[in-house]
Amino acid sequence: MAGQEQQQPQSRDTEVDEDVPAAPPAPAEAQASAATQGVDDLLDEIDGVLESNAEEFVRAFVQKGGQ
Amino acid sequence: MTAVVPGKPAHTGGGLPAGGAMRVMGSETEYGIHAPSAPGANATMMSARVIQAYAQVTRQRAAGGAETRWDYTDEEPLHDARGWTLERSAADPEQLTDRPPVLDAEAVALAYGRQELEANGEDGSGTLLMNMVLGNGARLYVDHAHPEYSSPEVTNPRDAVAWDAAGDLVALAAVRRLAADPELPPINLYKNNTDNKSVSYGSHENYLMPRSVPFGDIVRGLTPFFVTRQVLCGAGRVGMGQDSSRPGYQISQRADFFETEVGLETTIRRPIINTRDEPHATADKYRRLHVIIGDANLSQASNYLKFGTTAMVLSLIEAGLAPRLEVHEPVAALQAVSHDTSLTATVRLLDGRRVTALDLQWIYYEAAAKHAQDTGVADAVDGDGHTHAVLERWAATLTELGGDRAAAASSVEWLAKLSLLEGYRQRDGLGWDSARLGLVDLQWADIRPEKGLYYRLLARDRMQRIVDDGTIARAMTEPPSDTRAYFRGRCVSRFGTDLVGASWDSVIFDVPGRGKLQRVPTREPLRGTEALTGGLFARHREAGPFLAELLGLSPSS
């Protein structure tokens, strides 16, 4: 996507995916439902990306000191 | 004989419009490093592999002479901004960063075998090169046990975001190269600041300031700001306490690792205000303020605010206009702010008031906005081109944090990460001690777009962009045009085989036919720009004539 040097402050009340049509304004309940759907899709995608065996992976991430 | 980079003398205060968000600045990122298939691998050796891999990517083989070594002449890690120098014998060994880090042959052979040593960039003296100067003006090297990218000097927060993100692409290119080598274990790099097992590694900012500003003013002016700016630019962390022994979520990756208010160290007893005083520039004119308290940011908006608001507060301090307030017990306050994601906790001021982190940020915002308006730099049309946007975003973000937090989640990194974690908690009923949430926190910072969770959100346009992808890609190979990084980067790209070293304030040539090395000092950060030296590079393809004209322009002895 093109650069957006300055985005205007967002005035959305709930988090809605960008590809949801902006108008007409949806009732709050529908917005919340769309937001939930967006989160569910996102979590489904991330489930497929996360390393397997979370416990072992996190435990093995051991760093030496730094600044 | 030496030459100086041609150009007009810099103005007092650096030659940039004063009063706002413009300033010479830069970032340093130490990446977390992990080879899942080789859990016992030596971290320093793995970090050296990352540097070697990038050298291969740029065809600047470390041992082949095409890559530029770091020049350590001007490193002064024991100089304290309060006016003294620490005795070497009293220093922690990790503070002695003015000596090239050396992996000797024995250490390498122990870690990877003799054959490996011979195949991978030994320079003949049994040491591995662990430093590169890149064509974009940055430094890529092994710092302690991490690969570190130090961005080139830039003049504004938008460019700071671009050239910091370019470092993530450099790191990605090295990771890809290593992953394609069937002989080597794949290495993952993470743009975070802790392993959640009591170790932290840094993400630093550097800001050029006139040396005439008393250091005490900097400490007083910055401390309340640093205690609270994390609400804008904290990266978020699963776990409380240095070793994460208490379950929970906090705003900052770094806050729990700070133990004192002011000090020289960066690896032990970490201070809110670091006094390391290496100007890397004309020392009687400038100081380089070395900021160690920030989190590494993937969110461009958080990174932009981190640099932009800090630059503006430094402008306030320079003008003697910093808000006159002091936080009671700043280290404890820093951690209290980090531990309160509701943003309702209050910190006590020495005058008795109790204020929230957002209150304190608004106080700084109002002062910065007034000063910027008074100096004219904040004007949307006739200003300096940066301050107006920083102020607008600063106010908008504080407003969102005070009310519409869902909106802030597309820009403020700790909130973006928190909203993802809350999604998991609600869907799967996970507690904060769940390993899965720990993995989400870690993998948030994986620099690979297909694995890094920040990048998954970015791909869905759930994270705002300050600069577009093309700008970041260009910043990976191109230096900023308006600082001495232009001269350094162009010299590396154009004359790499004729360079024997470079640093922030020098480029050293070894040109055939010349008897001795030519060290070109670059001690003025706003000289060596494209405007001043672009013609020189356009006229010469070879180092000999290039140097001859450079020396001829400004001969000195």
Side-chain angles (χ1 to χ4, degrees):
Chain A
M1 63 179 277
Q4 301 168 353
E5 179 163 2
Q6 273 313 310
Q7 297 204 353
Q8 290 305 309
Q10 313 223 345
S11 57
R12 296 175 294 172
D13 289 326
T14 52
E15 196 169 54
V16 181
D17 265 357
E18 300 288 355
D19 55 1
V20 173
E29 201 173 300
Q31 279 189 22
S33 163
T36 304
Q37 185 57 44
V39 171
D40 287 347
D41 289 352
L42 178 67
L43 295 183
D44 287 347
E45 179 193 328
I46 288 177
D47 283 340
V49 168
L50 282 177
E51 308 281 356
S52 53
N53 200 342
E55 193 159 343
E56 187 186 323
F57 196 91
V58 167
R59 187 172 55 233
F61 181 71
V62 177
Q63 299 295 292
K64 292 206 168 180
Q67 296 205 45
Chain B
M1 190 180 200
T2 59
V4 292
V5 176
K8 295 172 197 159
H11 303 290
T12 307
L16 296 170
M22 292 195 78
R23 174 174 302 275
V24 174
M25 58 180 88
S27 69
E28 308 167 25
T29 304
E30 288 182 62
Y31 293 94
I33 183 164
H34 183 44
S37 63
N42 176 292
T44 306
M45 185 65 211
M46 282 197 295
S47 300
R49 283 193 186 289
V50 170
I51 314 304
Q52 303 291 327
Y54 194 65
Q56 289 165 353
V57 168
T58 62
R59 297 190 184 82
Q60 295 175 313
R61 279 277 303 170
E67 176 234 326
T68 304
R69 287 172 186 256
W70 192 253
D71 169 24
Y72 283 86
T73 313
D74 293 303
E75 302 274 317
E76 295 165 329
L78 305 182
H79 280 211
D80 194 303
R82 291 165 293 187
W84 61 78
T85 299
L86 185 66
E87 290 287 327
R88 291 193 83 82
S89 59
D92 186 276
E94 290 195 338
Q95 287 176 266
L96 301 177
T97 54
D98 52 347
R99 302 278 170 78
V102 168
L103 269 185
D104 62 25
E106 185 183 16
V108 175
L110 276 172
Y112 284 96
R114 166 66 53 186
Q115 202 175 359
E116 192 61 37
L117 175 66
E118 286 159 1
N120 264 291
E122 189 199 342
D123 70 353
S125 62
T127 60
L128 275 175
L129 291 178
M130 306 215 289
N131 261 291
M132 287 178 76
V133 183
L134 308 184
N136 72 352
R139 178 189 186 191
L140 180 68
Y141 70 117
V142 179
D143 190 13
H144 302 282
H146 303 270
E148 173 165 331
Y149 169 89
S150 296
S151 84
E153 306 89 328
V154 299
T155 61
N156 62 79
R158 190 171 184 277
D159 283 353
V161 171
W163 268 273
D164 183 63
D168 303 337
L169 290 186
V170 166
L172 177 63
V175 161
R176 298 282 196 231
R177 174 87 189 188
L178 289 163
D181 188 336
E183 306 284 310
L184 297 175
I187 290 176
N188 296 349
L189 295 177
Y190 298 88
K191 194 180 190 183
N192 62 7
N193 299 105
T194 178
D195 67 358
N196 272 326
K197 299 168 189 69
S198 81
V199 161
S200 182
Y201 34 99
S203 151
H204 300 169
E205 304 136 65
N206 297 290
Y207 301 91
L208 201 72
M209 300 187 73
R211 183 155 293 275
S212 55
V213 180
F215 200 75
D217 290 2
I218 298 174
V219 173
R220 275 188 298 279
L222 271 180
T223 300
F225 176 71
F226 279 173
V227 164
T228 54
R229 88 176 173 164
Q230 55 182 310
V231 300
L232 303 169
C233 57
R237 176 180 172 208
V238 173
M240 312 290 254
Q242 292 192 358
D243 60 358
S244 268
S245 54
R246 286 175 290 129
Y249 183 79
Q250 61 176 309
I251 289 171
S252 163
Q253 290 260 305
R254 289 279 272 176
D256 285 354
F257 296 93
F258 282 73
E259 297 174 5
T260 186
E261 293 170 31
V262 183
L264 185 58
E265 296 87 1
T266 56
T267 59
I268 48 172
R269 297 186 298 278
R270 290 188 186 87
I272 293 174
I273 306 287
N274 183 234
T275 56
R276 183 162 168 173
D277 189 8
E278 298 175 281
H280 295 315
T282 301
D284 55 354
K285 285 171 64 179
Y286 306 116
R287 77 167 74 252
R288 175 186 64 128
L289 184 72
H290 189 227
V291 174
I292 69 169
I293 200 170
D295 288 358
N297 282 126
L298 285 154
S299 160
Q300 294 181 13
S302 277
N303 218 15
Y304 178 75
L305 284 175
K306 180 170 72 183
F307 284 98
T309 61
T310 304
M312 292 199 70
V313 170
L314 294 177
S315 294
L316 278 179
I317 292 168
E318 284 176 15
L321 296 171
R324 301 200 181 284
L325 44 85
E326 282 188 75
V327 173
H328 176 69
E329 294 187 356
V331 175
L334 171 77
Q335 288 157 6
V337 169
S338 182
H339 295 175
D340 170 41
T341 55
S342 75
L343 303 183
T344 56
T346 56
V347 299
R348 188 152 75 83
L349 305 182
L350 287 192
D351 64 15
R353 280 183 289 168
R354 297 202 71 101
V355 295
T356 66
L358 288 174
D359 292 335
L360 261 176
Q361 282 292 308
W362 277 117
I363 291 169
Y364 272 92
Y365 168 82
E366 297 293 349
K370 178 171 193 319
H371 180 49
Q373 275 145 21
D374 290 347
T375 51
V377 294
D379 192 273
V381 177
D382 299 323
D384 64 14
H386 293 280
T387 299
H388 179 77
V390 170
L391 284 170
E392 206 166 58
R393 184 171 280 275
W394 192 358
T397 306
L398 290 176
T399 301
E400 288 173 356
L401 286 170
D404 186 2
R405 286 170 58 132
S410 67
S411 62
V412 175
E413 187 156 354
W414 67 268
L415 263 179
K417 188 189 283 182
L418 178 59
S419 67
L420 185 57
L421 290 161
E422 289 290 7
Y424 267 97
R425 281 162 55 77
Q426 282 166 21
R427 191 192 68 177
D428 300 340
L430 302 176
W432 281 115
D433 56 351
S434 153
R436 198 161 175 81
L437 297 187
L439 181 61
V440 168
D441 187 11
L442 174 58
Q443 213 171 316
W444 175 269
D446 191 318
I447 59 160
R448 294 170 295 174
E450 72 277 16
K451 295 296 274 187
L453 305 189
Y454 159 75
Y455 287 105
R456 300 321 309 150
L457 266 61
L458 184 70
R460 287 173 170 253
D461 288 333
R462 282 173 168 266
M463 299 299 298
Q464 296 178 27
R465 285 176 164 88
I466 300 291
V467 291
D468 61 40
D469 290 347
T471 299
I472 300 171
R474 276 192 301 281
M476 191 184 172
T477 52
E478 299 290 315
S481 65
D482 55 355
T483 69
R484 63 186 176 186
Y486 177 82
F487 181 81
R488 180 189 317 120
R490 280 282 179 269
C491 282
V492 168
S493 298
R494 180 71 61 77
F495 307 123
T497 53
D498 298 306
L499 299 186
V500 295
S503 71
W504 302 122
D505 48 17
S506 70
V507 177
I508 304 175
F509 287 83
D510 182 8
V511 177
R514 286 185 180 267
K516 53 182 184 177
L517 303 182
Q518 307 283 332
R519 187 171 195 269
V520 182
T522 56
R523 296 181 74 79
E524 286 289 348
L526 291 176
R527 290 163 77 173
T529 61
E530 180 173 24
L532 296 171
T533 65
L536 198 59
F537 285 101
R539 285 191 292 279
H540 300 290
R541 291 277 144 191
E542 293 183 10
F546 174 84
L547 265 187
E549 185 179 341
L550 187 62
L551 294 165
L553 275 175
S554 302
S556 62
S557 55

